Amino acid sequence: MMMKIYQYLSVLLLLVFVAGCKKSFLEVVPKGQLVARITDDYDKIMNAPDLYLYSFAGGWQSMVLMGDDVAAEGSYFSSASPMSQNAFNYKADIFRAQDNTFDFKLYTSNLYTVNKVINEIDESTGGSAAQKTALKAEALANRAWIYFQLINIYARPYNTATASQDLGFPIIRDADINLSGHVRNSVAEVYGFIIQDFKDAISTLPLNNKFAQRFSKPAAEGMLAKVYLYMGRNAEALAMFNAALTDAAAQAVPAKLYDYNVEFASGGKFDPIGYNGPNNSPGINYDDVTESVLAKTFYNGPYSGNEFGNDFLVLSPKAQALFAPGDLRLNFYGAFFPYSTPNPSGRLSKYSVNYSKFGLQLAELYLLRAEANARLNNLAAAVADLELLRRNRMPVNVASVPAQAASSKESLIRFIFQERTREFAMEGYRWFDMRRCSIDPIFSGETFSHIIYNDETSTNITSFNLPQDRLTLRLPPIVMNANPGFTNNP
């Protein structure tokens, strides 16, 4: 089984958990095991930073490099790590045999952690039945979230016609790193597993959790809605988006959108804008969860010895063309390389984002609900959500959705995907949108490409298209070598 190859991760987990727990937490530590006994121990386990802060080459870093919303400056790209170059060049294998697959390890080690809580919490002592139920629900929601990442990285996009045959990811329910004999379950099976975990979690999750980094009921509802949308189950998605936004608004400290018209004005939170970007912006302060329904964060800054980095990335011309001059989201971009070095070409980097949120942001909830409504031909409702977001991102007089975009289902869906790029460019979201577009008739014929600028001009470039197979990552060599019975992706 895939977890077998990561036996040494138990050492890392022990270090993380022991650092944040009382001395009595681990009395006996058998090899390859974490020992927790009282309910409070499991609550501490769910506080493990690795569950919500992917600060060491985890999260969506490779996804950032593969979206068509980014281009590359050749002078920096030539010295980037092999992994970064492979991802940007759409190579068949991003990882070499000797590479550390940090993101894969974080997902699978977190899977071990949440399975431990799911399987053991009922037998813990010292806690109430309600506490145990809530912790189990939280672990189930995290497991579903982990699998949603894995299935959308290492398997083909969900296609109703082929999902039962497409290779997915092994469904692992046990916290036993010595298990063997797992197979790659189908995409359909994994999606069914994700849905059931989210449903079970929603039934018992509290409306409020201790922190935005930990799953609450509206966070699980929003994620289940996103799963349905990815499957094309639009009516079910819309019902769940409505529930998520209603419940999120009822929380004790609800997520709220920053109004950029206020925050970029004199005296606003993001004022002034310096060489390192807007002051106090969420991308600089990883603990800013103002807009987070579920706050999971990954490091998205310059290369720092962690194999991936964004030193060479600039906004692609296709993505830059989507921004109107009055869009205040452009304030997060500047003509600078990392470390405040001016870019003589004038091309834009997202120089103010060292940390990106990839859990569930309130802005994405509105955009996803707008998409569900548009796909159901509820155009006015979709436009309302779009304009609610846009009024918080630009002056009100330019925030209206253009009449042509709102004139039909197809044109409005295209506009929604463009709005997603305007909201989340260079943060990994576009990669997952490209996967969905690749099987959506509305985007039929659309191609995805990358550009490398070989000098300061915009004419001396190298460009290449994304092969269809590269919309699914291949399992890393370290996984395949440990599991020779697996069939890898093309």
Side-chain angles (χ1 to χ4, degrees):
M1 104 115 170
M2 303 182 81
M3 296 294 285
K4 185 176 181 181
I5 65 176
Y6 298 126
Q7 293 187 22
Y8 68 91
L9 285 178
S10 61
V11 176
L12 173 62
L13 285 165
L14 288 173
L15 291 174
V16 171
F17 297 148
V18 172
C21 303
K22 299 177 181 178
K23 291 182 179 179
S24 60
F25 173 43
L26 296 175
E27 296 177 3
V28 180
V29 186
K31 183 178 180 181
Q33 299 289 330
L34 294 176
V35 177
R37 290 189 172 85
I38 65 173
T39 304
D40 190 50
D41 292 339
Y42 292 93
D43 186 58
K44 290 182 172 70
I45 286 176
M46 294 307 298
N47 275 334
D50 278 356
L51 287 173
Y52 58 84
L53 179 57
Y54 289 56
S55 58
F56 189 62
W60 286 359
Q61 283 192 317
S62 54
M63 278 65 254
V64 173
L65 299 173
M66 293 188 293
D68 68 350
D69 53 345
V70 300
E73 292 285 0
S75 58
Y76 277 72
F77 183 71
S78 61
S79 59
S81 71
M83 287 165 51
S84 294
Q85 292 186 3
N86 290 342
F88 187 85
N89 283 329
Y90 298 137
K91 294 294 185 182
D93 288 300
I94 293 176
F95 302 103
R96 301 165 299 172
Q98 70 270 31
D99 286 331
N100 286 314
T101 56
F102 294 107
D103 53 350
F104 189 92
K105 289 177 181 177
L106 277 170
Y107 286 132
T108 52
S109 63
N110 284 344
L111 179 58
Y112 168 83
T113 300
V114 296
N115 275 336
K116 180 177 181 64
V117 176
I118 292 166
N119 294 328
E120 299 178 10
I121 186 66
D122 290 340
E123 304 304 318
S124 66
T125 60
S128 67
Q131 286 175 306
K132 295 176 184 180
T133 298
L135 283 168
K136 188 171 186 176
E138 187 179 347
L140 284 166
N142 270 285
R143 185 169 71 180
W145 185 88
I146 292 166
Y147 267 97
F148 190 58
Q149 310 312 306
L150 291 170
I151 202 65
N152 279 285
I153 296 173
Y154 296 107
R156 290 177 178 173
Y158 187 92
N159 185 328
T160 303
T162 63
S164 60
Q165 291 82 43
D166 291 337
L167 289 175
F169 199 86
I171 293 176
I172 301 166
R173 294 181 171 88
D174 299 296
D176 186 345
I177 59 176
N178 295 308
L179 285 177
S180 61
H182 278 268
V183 298
R184 293 186 66 182
N185 293 85
S186 71
V187 168
E189 289 172 327
V190 173
Y191 266 84
F193 181 62
I194 292 169
I195 289 170
Q196 191 59 56
D197 269 0
F198 273 135
K199 283 184 173 180
D200 291 345
I202 288 166
S203 66
T204 51
L205 271 170
L207 181 70
N208 300 286
N209 210 325
K210 297 178 180 179
F211 315 106
Q213 289 85 349
R214 293 179 59 165
F215 257 100
S216 62
K217 182 180 181 182
E221 289 170 330
M223 282 304 307
L224 177 56
K226 188 173 181 178
V227 172
Y228 284 145
L229 191 66
Y230 273 47
M231 299 174 75
R233 295 164 61 171
N234 301 315
E236 292 166 284
L238 178 58
M240 199 55 64
F241 282 131
N242 289 337
L245 283 162
T246 298
D247 285 342
Q251 289 183 298
V253 183
K256 63 178 182 179
L257 295 173
Y258 278 120
D259 185 346
Y260 290 0
N261 298 288
V262 173
E263 306 306 346
F264 280 116
S266 178
K269 184 172 182 178
F270 303 159
D271 178 60
I273 300 175
Y275 281 111
N276 292 317
N279 183 51
N280 291 321
S281 68
I284 295 173
N285 299 299
Y286 69 84
D287 57 351
D288 187 332
V289 298
T290 303
E291 296 191 337
S292 299
V293 179
L294 174 67
K296 290 182 183 286
T297 306
F298 71 94
Y299 178 72
N300 192 20
Y303 179 73
S304 61
N306 60 3
E307 298 295 341
F308 283 122
N310 66 2
D311 306 57
F312 58 86
L313 292 180
V314 291
L315 193 63
S316 73
K318 179 180 177 181
Q320 187 170 343
L322 296 176
F323 289 87
D327 196 325
L328 295 173
R329 288 171 290 200
L330 281 171
N331 287 336
F332 293 111
Y333 300 85
F336 294 94
F337 290 120
Y339 316 114
S340 304
T341 304
N343 186 337
S345 73
R347 290 185 281 265
L348 300 179
S349 297
K350 203 164 192 176
Y351 68 143
S352 61
V353 175
N354 286 334
Y355 300 96
S356 291
K357 294 293 191 296
F358 72 132
L360 188 63
Q361 295 295 99
L362 185 59
E364 190 184 22
L365 262 183
Y366 283 120
L367 288 169
L368 291 171
R369 185 170 72 171
E371 182 187 339
N373 266 313
R375 291 189 183 278
L376 292 168
N377 219 30
N378 304 325
L379 304 189
V383 168
D385 275 344
L386 282 166
E387 292 185 345
L388 186 156
L389 174 63
R390 287 169 61 84
R391 285 194 299 271
N392 285 279
R393 299 307 194 233
M394 61 194 71
V396 174
N397 65 318
V398 294
S400 297
V401 174
Q404 183 177 0
S407 63
S408 71
K409 177 173 76 172
E410 290 75 15
S411 60
L412 188 55
I413 289 172
R414 285 183 173 276
F415 186 85
I416 290 167
F417 274 75
Q418 292 169 359
E419 194 69 37
R420 288 178 60 81
T421 297
R422 288 186 282 266
E423 182 70 19
F424 298 115
M426 301 184 73
E427 298 193 54
Y429 288 76
R430 177 58 184 164
W431 167 253
F432 298 97
D433 288 349
M434 288 160 56
R435 282 170 48 88
R436 292 202 293 143
C437 289
S438 72
I439 59 170
D440 187 337
I442 291 174
F443 298 92
S444 177
E446 183 170 339
T447 59
F448 313 107
S449 61
H450 267 166
I451 293 174
I452 300 176
Y453 294 103
N454 297 315
D455 56 27
E456 295 176 11
T457 72
S458 295
T459 55
N460 183 9
I461 64 173
T462 301
S463 62
F464 47 93
N465 290 332
L466 169 69
Q468 183 74 18
D469 284 344
R470 297 286 66 77
L471 285 165
T472 302
L473 268 62
R474 285 168 58 83
L475 293 169
I478 191 173
V479 176
M480 293 304 300
N481 291 339
N483 299 274
F486 284 177
T487 299
N488 209 342
N489 300 321

